[in-house]
Amino acid sequence: MTEVELSFTAALARVTYQKKCSCLKFIDSMIWLSQMRRGKRLTPAQSKYLAGCVIRFQRQISAKVVEVARKELERLKAAERPRERS
């Protein structure tokens, strides 16, 4: 995981979730992954979803982390666009 992804999981670890949150299982697995297997790289889809989760819970997370998540999501979407045109 990159430093940015580690900061996202650290921020999401402090969030209070509803019992039926659709992304709770994913976030739980990302937190576990960040603690146990730091060297493993996330797929672009996992990185996008992780950044999306940070934006989704922006009221409970620092504004700086949310801004980084928005920039990361835009970067991932931009990197994905040239592949679609080919």
Side-chain angles (χ1 to χ4, degrees):
M1 296 182 100
T2 65
E3 289 299 319
V4 172
E5 293 163 347
L6 286 172
S7 68
F8 291 167
T9 56
L12 289 169
R14 293 184 224 111
V15 171
T16 304
Y17 302 97
Q18 296 178 359
K19 291 181 182 178
K20 295 185 179 183
C21 179
S22 62
C23 61
L24 182 59
K25 192 172 186 178
F26 172 79
I27 293 170
D28 188 44
S29 67
M30 289 296 109
I31 292 169
W32 178 85
L33 192 67
S34 72
Q35 293 172 348
M36 300 298 169
R37 303 179 80 194
R38 287 184 179 261
K40 186 173 183 326
R41 304 259 322 152
L42 297 183
T43 64
Q46 287 173 323
S47 295
K48 273 178 59 175
Y49 195 69
L50 185 62
C53 289
V54 171
I55 294 168
R56 180 176 177 184
F57 294 103
Q58 62 183 323
R59 290 185 178 179
Q60 299 181 46
I61 297 175
S62 166
K64 287 182 180 180
V65 175
V66 174
E67 186 61 33
V68 170
R70 288 188 181 168
K71 289 178 183 176
E72 182 73 9
L73 194 57
E74 287 298 317
R75 185 188 67 76
L76 290 167
K77 285 181 180 179
E80 193 175 73
R81 286 187 191 122
R83 288 188 215 148
E84 292 175 355
R85 293 180 190 161
S86 298

